[in-house]
């Protein structure tokens, strides 16, 4: 899926819940870098998220 995405864009962003350690580990294993901390409103409650960026390899 990443190969297909990189045919069209130079980077992909992932938003991962701050307590979702399994997904955080998975995107880091792909080579993504944590670039931001965000808060989304989900069902009226603020939920912390981390934003990761995976850049296309040249």
């Amino acid at each position: 899926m990443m190969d297909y995405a990189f045919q069209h864009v130079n980077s992909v962003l992932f938003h991962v819940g701050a307590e979702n350690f399994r997904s955080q580990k998975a995107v880091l294993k792909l080579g993504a870098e944590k670039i931001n901390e965000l808060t989304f409103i989900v069902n009226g409650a603020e939920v912390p998220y981390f934003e990761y960026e995976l850049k296309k390899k040249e």
Side-chain angles (χ1 to χ4, degrees):
M1 188 181 329
M2 292 294 102
D3 290 335
Y4 177 78
F6 288 136
Q7 291 176 12
H8 305 281
V9 297
N10 291 324
S11 69
V12 175
L13 298 177
F14 297 91
H15 293 146
V16 180
E19 295 182 11
N20 190 342
F21 305 115
R22 186 176 182 184
S23 292
Q24 290 175 38
K25 186 176 178 181
V27 296
L28 289 171
K29 191 173 180 179
L30 287 174
E33 179 181 330
K34 182 178 169 185
I35 60 169
N36 202 2
E37 296 185 16
L38 308 163
T39 302
F40 292 142
I41 305 297
V42 179
N43 295 327
E46 291 186 357
V47 180
Y49 279 80
F50 298 145
E51 184 174 50
Y52 293 86
E53 180 179 30
L54 180 61
K55 294 181 180 179
K56 181 178 183 177
K57 294 179 183 175
E58 299 293 325

